[in-house]
Amino acid sequence: KDFRLAVNAAVLPAVDKADLRQAGETLVDAKLKVAQRAIADRKASLAADDFKTLAQAPTAVKCARVDFGDDSKLWTKIQKSTLNKLAPDASFFVVSHVDDDKFVLFTSVSKAHVALGLSALDWADAAVDDAKATKRGGGKPNAAKFYITAAAPAIDAFLAAAADFAKTKGVA
């Protein structure tokens, strides 16, 4: 905005001002995209480190909060590059903070756990009901994504309820 005002105040022909304003906006847009990409890359790197630690936990069911937003592409990338390699027989129940009291839940259930009766959809339903939260979303028995509205302190109860539900299905 300051740049635009400076161009408007400059002693230049109107045609040159329009071109100068356009060039300035293009430059700002390009710098903004570079900054946004750098932030996304850093967020992905931090999330990958957190997921490596989570995947190496000694349990078959891994319930945790890892804040990386609601980036489904990043979740898929991390599943393929990290989780499936480090813990191919594990199931994951991951909650990520999005905004204020909004969270996103990503679940990934191994084939062996689906065979035991652990469904990603039922898993999310049980945890949401137990934590008295609301959700919207969907998925399949082996994977689901839900947006959850709950107070941040309820997330610990939510994760505990998810772990308890998995135990009722014989998965620990």
Side-chain angles (χ1 to χ4, degrees), residues 73-91:
K73 289 182 182 178
L74 177 58
W75 168 249
T76 301
K77 180 180 175 183
I78 288 173
Q79 273 185 298
K80 290 179 180 175
S81 66
T82 304
L83 303 181
N84 291 345
K85 290 180 182 174
L86 295 177
D89 298 325
S91 294

Side-chain angles (χ1 to χ4, degrees), residues 63-137:
C63 301
R65 177 176 171 177
V66 179
D67 290 327
F68 64 101
D70 63 347
D71 189 343
S72 294
K73 289 182 182 178
L74 177 58
W75 168 249
T76 301
K77 180 180 175 183
I78 288 173
Q79 273 185 298
K80 290 179 180 175
S81 66
T82 304
L83 303 181
N84 291 345
K85 290 180 182 174
L86 295 177
D89 298 325
S91 294
F92 295 88
F93 188 96
V94 177
V95 177
S96 178
H97 184 246
V98 177
D99 185 22
D100 295 331
D101 61 348
K102 292 184 177 109
F103 296 83
V104 64
L105 163 66
F106 293 96
T107 58
S108 173
V109 180
S110 71
K111 290 179 184 177
H113 294 165
V114 171
L116 289 173
L118 180 62
S119 161
L121 300 168
D122 294 341
W123 201 7
D125 284 340
V128 167
D129 291 345
D130 199 62
K132 309 225 180 338
T134 59
K135 71 170 176 54
R136 65 178 174 81

Side-chain angles (χ1 to χ4, degrees), residues 8-91:
N8 289 344
V11 181
L12 294 169
V15 164
D16 292 342
K17 287 182 181 183
D19 291 343
L20 188 57
R21 276 193 300 271
Q22 181 61 40
E25 289 172 10
T26 302
L27 180 63
V28 168
D29 288 346
K31 287 190 177 233
L32 180 62
K33 286 180 183 177
V34 168
Q36 288 171 332
R37 185 72 222 154
I39 291 169
D41 289 347
R42 180 68 179 142
K43 187 190 297 186
S45 174
L46 291 172
D49 290 344
D50 289 344
F51 278 112
K52 284 179 188 169
T53 302
L54 179 62
Q56 293 167 347
T59 58
V61 172
K62 299 158 191 319
C63 301
R65 177 176 171 177
V66 179
D67 290 327
F68 64 101
D70 63 347
D71 189 343
S72 294
K73 289 182 182 178
L74 177 58
W75 168 249
T76 301
K77 180 180 175 183
I78 288 173
Q79 273 185 298
K80 290 179 180 175
S81 66
T82 304
L83 303 181
N84 291 345
K85 290 180 182 174
L86 295 177
D89 298 325
S91 294

